């Protein structure tokens, strides 16, 4: 889809380094790949089937042993460190089928300890949101709410604002459109606000991602309100 639809290619090219997009194109058969944003421009690309990494604005795809490979062992895990440009060392380990890579030895060891002990450094909210996503969707996104500035003005000059710090959405393709689907708790006292929030969400995404022009609709099911928005891709 990225190769066939320019609007999608432009969108993701701004968010994912070119070398990782090339990696996806070259390994389209992979059943699952995870992109995990960290601080600043740091993005980790993780796959249980092929190790790949992007750290900072530089990308690295593991392609075999290098000339120099110091090895260390901690928490029962073997760590490998390779020389990179600018006198930096790139370290990685593999544990229970998961690859983890970092230029920071301290961070690498902290992640390894969390994996061994079963503890997580994820905030509770996105950690719980993982249970709401649809694993059958081509793409799942967990994102911070603040950049979208989601609020609705009320008649008494006050406003209703989304209180959650994180939201989740499933992305899929339908009849030439790219669509997203996500849910939010339903409160009867705010019944009239959800439709206005759908308009706000549409406007914010159009500003943030000009290649896309989504229109969101709402659907209430039991104690949740679901937002579904689609943007045409034909002609781009």
């Amino acid at each position: 889809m990225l190769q066939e639809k320019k609007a999608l290619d432009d969108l993701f090219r701004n968010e994912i380094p070119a070398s990782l997009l090339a990696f996806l194109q070259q390994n389209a058969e992979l059943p699952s790949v995870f992109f995990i944003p960290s601080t600043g421009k740091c993005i980790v690309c993780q796959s249980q089937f092929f190790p790949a990494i992007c750290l900072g604005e530089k990308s690295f795809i593991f392609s075999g042993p290098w000339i120099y490979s110091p090895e260390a062992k901690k928490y029962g895990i073997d760590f490998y460190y390779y020389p990179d440009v600018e006198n930096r060392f790139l370290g990685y380990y593999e544990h229970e089928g998961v690859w983890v890579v970092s230029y920071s030895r301290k961070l690498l060891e902290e992640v390894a300890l969390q994996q061994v002990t079963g503890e997580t450094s994820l905030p509770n909210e996105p950690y719980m949101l993982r249970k709401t996503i649809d694993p059958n969707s081509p793409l799942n996104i967990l994102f911070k709410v603040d950049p979208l500035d989601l609020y609705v003005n009320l008649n008494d000059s006050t406003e209703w604002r989304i209180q959650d710090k994180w939201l989740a959405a499933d992305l899929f393709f339908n009849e030439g459109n790219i669509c997203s689907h996500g849910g939010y708790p339903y409160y009867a006292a705010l019944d009239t606000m959800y439709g206005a929030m759908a308009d706000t969400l549409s406007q914010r995404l159009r500003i943030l991602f000009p290649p896309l022009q989504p229109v969101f609709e709402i659907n209430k099911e039991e104690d949740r309100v679901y937002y579904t928005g689609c943007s045409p891709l034909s002609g781009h």
Side-chain angles (χ1 to χ4, degrees):
M1 290 295 296
L2 289 177
Q3 292 175 309
E4 295 174 0
K5 302 296 183 180
K6 187 177 183 303
L8 280 184
D9 186 72
D10 292 345
L11 173 62
F12 284 100
R13 194 167 296 280
N14 289 331
E15 303 296 330
I16 302 174
S19 57
L20 280 183
L21 288 176
F23 165 76
L24 288 178
Q25 294 169 352
Q26 296 166 6
N27 298 274
E29 74 283 356
L30 290 178
S32 63
V33 177
F34 303 91
F35 292 95
I36 311 170
S38 183
T39 57
K41 290 279 187 180
C42 176
I43 296 181
V44 175
C45 174
Q46 172 185 310
S47 174
Q48 292 180 310
F49 304 91
F50 190 93
I53 191 69
C54 165
L55 291 159
E57 297 181 350
K58 175 179 176 57
S59 299
F60 167 81
I61 297 179
F62 183 78
S63 59
W66 294 358
I67 297 175
Y68 179 63
S69 128
E71 182 178 346
K73 194 178 188 72
K74 198 168 186 178
Y75 314 126
I77 296 176
D78 292 322
F79 294 81
Y80 300 89
Y81 298 93
Y82 296 94
D84 196 8
V85 296
E86 301 176 355
N87 297 319
R88 295 192 302 174
F89 280 81
L90 183 67
Y92 85 90
Y93 73 85
E94 186 275 332
H95 182 63
E96 296 182 348
V98 177
W99 292 82
V100 182
V101 189
S102 178
Y103 283 107
S104 169
R105 178 170 182 167
K106 179 180 178 181
L107 179 60
L108 196 66
E109 292 179 352
E110 286 179 356
V111 173
L113 179 61
Q114 292 173 13
Q115 189 177 0
V116 169
T117 60
E119 298 179 354
T120 177
S121 61
L122 276 176
N124 186 63
E125 194 169 1
Y127 183 78
M128 297 303 295
L129 271 176
R130 297 188 310 166
K131 300 178 181 179
T132 69
I133 61 177
D134 180 3
N136 296 316
S137 293
L139 181 66
N140 310 114
I141 298 179
L142 277 69
F143 57 95
K144 287 188 174 181
V145 175
D146 287 347
L148 292 177
D149 194 23
L150 297 176
Y151 69 91
V152 175
N153 287 320
L154 305 178
N155 294 331
D156 58 359
S157 299
T158 60
E159 64 183 29
W160 171 56
R161 184 179 294 271
I162 294 289
Q163 297 299 316
D164 299 60
K165 294 182 178 180
W166 291 79
L167 292 176
D170 304 314
L171 270 64
F172 59 96
F173 305 103
N174 181 39
E175 297 180 352
N177 297 325
I178 181 172
C179 302
S180 65
H181 177 79
Y184 191 75
Y186 173 77
Y187 304 102
L190 300 173
D191 185 77
T192 59
M193 297 294 101
Y194 293 108
M197 186 59 74
D199 295 335
T200 300
L201 182 58
S202 299
Q203 294 171 5
R204 297 294 189 272
L205 290 177
R206 291 173 186 176
I207 294 172
L208 285 175
F209 306 109
L212 303 181
Q213 296 294 310
V215 176
F216 278 85
E217 299 179 351
I218 63 171
N219 179 43
K220 178 181 175 296
E221 294 182 11
E222 297 180 351
D223 60 347
R224 291 187 70 80
V225 172
Y226 292 95
Y227 289 84
T228 303
C230 293
S231 175
L233 292 175
S234 58
H236 295 278

